[in-house]
Amino acid sequence: MSNLSLSAQTPFRRALGEPSVLIGATLLLLLVALAVFAPWLAPHGPNEQDLLSTLLPPAWAHGGDRSFPLGTDALGQCILSRLIYSTRVTVIIALTAPLGAALLGCALALIAGYRGGRIEWAILRMVDLWMSFPAIVLALVLMVALSPGLLNVIIAIILVDWTRFCRVIRADVVVLRRKDYVAAARITGASHWQVVMKDIVPGITPTLVSLISLEMGISVVAESILSFVGMSVEPHVPTWGVMIADGLKSVFSSPWGLIAPVACTVLTVLATTCLGDGLRRTSDPRLFNRSGS
Amino acid sequence: MSTLWRILWRVPMLLFLAAIVFLVLRVLPADPMGMLLPPSATPADVKALTEALGLDKPIPMQFGIWLGHALHGDLGRTMQSGQAVTPLILKALPVTLQLIFCGLVLGVIFGIGGGLLAFRYRGTRIERAVEVINSISISVPEFLWAILLILGVGIGLQWLPFLGQLDANLTVQPVTGFLLIDAIVAGDLAAWWSGVKHLALPSFALSLGIAPPLMRILHSSLLEAYTEDYIAAARLRGLSENRILVRHALKNAALPTVSMLGIQASTVIGGTLLMETIFGFPGIGSLMVNAIGANDLPMIQGLALTYAVAVQAVNMATDAALLLLNPRLRTP
């Protein structure tokens, strides 16, 4: 009975009833709003330097300046403004890289899990191969080959992180493929493509959704790591990773340039973890399997 | 048998990895010639250098030549200074290995300790506390932990240093390259202690990435092991709870935990790259970041291969450990 009442609600409604989903989604929406309205919200331009007021503390601290609410960095750039403008790269990465990695990973997982045989063996060995390289080393090597830029960062993250999706989703597909309803669909004359799209893909969606939201956090951190070592977007584009690197250099004279971007990154990662955990709880695949069989 | 096969499989895998790195770096849009030669170079100079570096040959052949040299321990010369790559890597490697070792040891101690603690006191507040700490440490990646530790422990509390391997006024004569060993060899306790203090934060940050999954998997495998008959039998024989836990359950729960450690090998090894960059350690991670900044292909290739070998070595070690721990894997 409980399953019946569960499936009567739409997954969307159920997810909204979960506090962690709400918290995570609200924080991420806030991030998107900051990114979109950055020019109106930021008090200064992201690269505007005021060399007379470098390394200022926040406005509330002793020696702070009202026009720089969170203080300035070593070049006299407004930390708050750079934080706000940095959300643009963060949001673009968080929205595109996980989807790309999911598409690539799922396509290969569906082929491997559904077809089985030699092609599955080959895809699994490829996953092994990829995973036996430290992700950061692979990403750096790819960035060297691709040269800096937002699109290339996205490509590099996709090419590194598709394995995460491939491994998990393939395991799901292998289970789903053996379901009676898949055999039934084949007997009634459905093509392989129809079976995959109508019977397998809906089955992997809950796992996929929570994986994607976790990957949002992972890709944001990946970008900030690449920025930190100077291998991400063009140098004039502000990102939290660049701010962390700059902040670390002048941490002895003013820790605020480091605290602010780290806090933002941690908060974003926690928001995606919240969202992912909540989504997994509200769309637990085991519940789906039980009501499906 | 399959485990033995898995160990052997790592050899062709390494070759594949080397080939992938080689290929990826050869599609590079950046022109290494432009960086090596002065702007006044003539086309003849370019041609001569291209031939000298073997860049005019087809890519498979270049890979063959490079691989042949690499198997003999020769990874070419760096483009920045013209020094041989291999000795530079070998010189930096001990720093990284020391960091990996300390991070792994701390991670295993926290992971196993946390798992045992949570299990021994299951159903109490201690279990809840361990789980909460676990979720906190897993939800923040180690890159951010490192910075948070610098801010909190390094700058806020000023308990531990966070720059370089040693205090600025100390030096240790390199013998083995492993700073802590060298300091003992030199009998310099002050330097040893300073080295330990400098290692503390990066190792701790690394361990925060390893410990939570270890703890989780150990906890759940212990719970599973306790449903088995041999635990009830041991209890009937009058063994103490602690003895049952350590001698019987832990032995069986260790298997998934060791496999988990193997899976995390690449995370730890990749993590050292960031720790070295953040904490200013002169290991292969710092070498890599420098080489990447300068588009130094032979260096990047050599280092990528070193990382791949390191991951495979740790994986092989865990496979071997599994083989030793689990008699069932040994019977064909």
Side-chain angles (χ1 to χ4, degrees):
Chain A
M1 265 329 262
S2 64
N3 281 339
L4 242 176
S5 61
L6 253 179
S7 47
Q9 276 183 322
T10 61
F12 184 68
R13 278 262 190 86
R14 216 182 315 140
L16 279 185
E18 174 80 24
S20 57
V21 172
L22 273 181
I23 297 172
T26 314
L27 280 172
L28 292 177
L29 281 177
L30 192 73
L31 206 67
V32 174
L34 282 176
V36 172
F37 300 111
W40 292 276
L41 294 169
H44 299 267
N47 296 315
E48 208 178 295
Q49 300 179 5
D50 182 350
L51 290 172
L52 289 177
S53 35
T54 59
L55 294 172
L56 282 182
W60 63 84
H62 178 71
D65 185 333
R66 199 70 78 65
S67 61
F68 299 108
L70 285 177
T72 56
D73 64 8
L75 288 172
Q77 306 178 103
C78 172
I79 290 175
L80 180 66
S81 307
R82 284 177 72 76
L83 274 185
I84 293 175
Y85 273 98
S86 298
T87 54
R88 298 191 146 185
V89 169
T90 309
V91 165
I92 293 174
I93 295 279
L95 291 181
T96 52
L99 284 183
L103 267 179
L104 182 60
C106 279
L108 289 171
L110 284 169
I111 294 172
Y114 189 74
R115 292 292 299 275
R118 243 181 249 167
I119 194 154
E120 179 178 32
W121 184 88
I123 291 176
L124 285 181
R125 293 294 82 75
M126 213 154 94
V127 173
D128 279 353
L129 208 62
W130 242 251
M131 308 246 309
S132 69
F133 231 122
I136 169 77
V137 175
L138 189 57
L140 282 175
V141 167
L142 284 170
M143 281 314 290
V144 171
L146 293 166
S147 78
L150 187 55
L151 183 64
N152 289 341
V153 174
I154 295 169
I155 293 174
I157 294 177
I158 291 174
L159 287 180
V160 171
D161 277 349
W162 63 272
T163 50
R164 230 182 271 276
F165 289 88
C166 191
R167 222 169 27 117
V168 178
I169 299 290
R170 188 206 66 102
D172 274 15
V173 173
V174 169
V175 174
L176 289 171
R177 189 185 58 184
R178 303 215 176 91
K179 294 273 177 207
D180 290 341
Y181 59 76
V182 171
R186 286 289 293 151
I187 291 167
T188 53
S191 68
H192 285 300
W193 176 253
Q194 283 170 326
V195 170
V196 167
M197 292 324 266
K198 293 229 168 99
D199 298 307
I200 309 261
V201 168
I204 59 172
T205 311
T207 317
L208 189 59
V209 168
S210 72
L211 273 182
I212 288 180
S213 63
L214 289 177
E215 178 67 24
M216 283 166 88
I218 294 170
S219 57
V220 166
V221 172
E223 191 284 325
S224 100
I225 288 173
L226 288 174
S227 286
F228 180 79
V229 297
M231 285 311 283
S232 180
V233 289
E234 294 85 354
H236 63 86
V237 182
T239 66
W240 290 340
V242 169
M243 292 182 72
I244 291 176
D246 291 345
L248 197 58
K249 276 178 214 147
S250 48
V251 73
F252 286 109
S253 21
S254 161
W256 288 102
L258 186 55
I259 294 173
V262 170
C264 287
T265 319
V266 170
L267 209 60
T268 309
V269 173
L270 289 182
T272 60
T273 316
C274 250
L275 188 67
D277 281 352
L279 286 176
R280 186 163 33 202
R281 235 173 292 140
T282 50
S283 58
D284 192 321
R286 270 167 293 178
L287 276 179
F288 274 71
N289 286 350
R290 227 183 294 151
S291 47
S293 58
Chain B
M1 246 13 229
S2 72
T3 313
L4 197 65
W5 192 83
R6 240 167 57 202
I7 293 179
L8 290 178
W9 163 249
R10 303 208 180 276
V11 178
M13 212 147 129
L14 263 180
L15 286 182
F16 265 118
L17 285 171
I20 289 176
V21 173
F22 201 85
L23 248 176
V24 165
L25 291 175
R26 281 305 175 279
V27 296
L28 195 73
D31 176 20
M33 291 299 117
M35 266 165 280
L36 279 174
L37 291 169
S40 57
T42 61
D45 292 338
V46 174
K47 192 162 173 279
L49 188 67
T50 310
E51 277 168 14
L53 291 173
L55 293 177
D56 54 339
K57 298 191 175 70
I59 286 177
M61 207 166 150
Q62 285 186 36
F63 178 64
I65 295 171
W66 178 76
L67 193 66
H69 287 297
L71 288 176
H72 288 98
D74 176 13
L75 293 169
R77 291 179 175 280
T78 75
M79 288 187 169
Q80 299 171 84
S81 60
Q83 284 175 284
V85 167
T86 317
L88 284 176
I89 293 181
L90 286 180
K91 196 173 155 235
L93 199 54
V95 177
T96 306
L97 290 177
Q98 188 171 274
L99 195 57
I100 293 176
F101 179 79
C102 294
L104 270 179
V105 168
L106 272 187
V108 168
I109 290 175
F110 291 144
I112 308 265
L116 284 176
L117 201 69
F119 182 77
R120 187 72 183 79
Y121 297 98
R122 52 191 179 280
T124 66
R125 273 199 204 144
I126 297 178
E127 186 191 19
R128 294 269 315 147
V130 171
E131 270 170 3
V132 168
I133 295 173
N134 207 44
S135 328
I136 295 174
S137 56
I138 208 172
S139 50
V140 177
E142 70 250 43
F143 164 66
L144 294 172
W145 270 127
I147 313 254
L148 288 174
L149 286 171
I150 288 183
L151 279 169
V153 184
I155 292 175
L157 300 168
Q158 306 207 330
W159 282 353
L160 288 167
F162 56 89
L163 215 68
Q165 287 210 95
L166 272 178
D167 287 341
N169 56 347
L170 296 168
T171 46
V172 171
Q173 196 59 38
V175 183
T176 58
F178 296 91
L179 186 90
L180 294 185
I181 298 176
D182 288 349
I184 290 178
V185 169
D188 189 347
L189 273 182
W192 186 80
W193 183 235
S194 165
V196 169
K197 283 201 289 190
H198 279 84
L199 257 173
L201 285 186
S203 313
F204 184 57
L206 269 184
S207 76
L208 284 177
I210 322 168
L214 280 186
M215 182 248 144
R216 246 172 224 185
I217 203 153
L218 179 65
H219 193 183
S220 64
S221 357
L222 279 174
L223 284 174
E224 207 181 299
Y226 264 65
T227 61
E228 301 277 343
D229 290 339
Y230 60 77
I231 299 291
R235 221 173 253 148
L236 286 177
R237 275 186 282 138
L239 299 184
S240 74
E241 277 300 306
N242 283 336
R243 196 182 159 87
I244 294 174
L245 177 57
V246 175
R247 295 290 292 270
H248 296 262
L250 189 60
K251 227 175 158 182
N252 287 283
L255 295 171
T257 317
V258 172
S259 329
M260 183 51 128
L261 198 60
I263 293 171
Q264 287 183 296
S266 76
T267 319
V268 182
I269 293 169
T272 57
L273 187 144
L274 290 168
M275 295 309 144
E276 287 170 18
T277 319
I278 295 170
F279 291 94
F281 276 44
I284 59 170
S286 302
L287 222 50
M288 183 73 158
V289 172
N290 277 337
I292 279 171
N295 260 340
D296 192 337
L297 292 193
M299 196 63 175
I300 297 173
Q301 253 160 237
L303 285 167
L305 190 68
T306 312
Y307 276 110
V309 170
V311 173
Q312 296 302 328
V314 177
N315 277 329
M316 268 190 209
T318 46
D319 282 350
L322 282 177
L323 215 55
L324 283 176
L325 278 171
N326 191 353
R328 267 171 296 186
L329 287 176
R330 266 175 271 158
T331 47

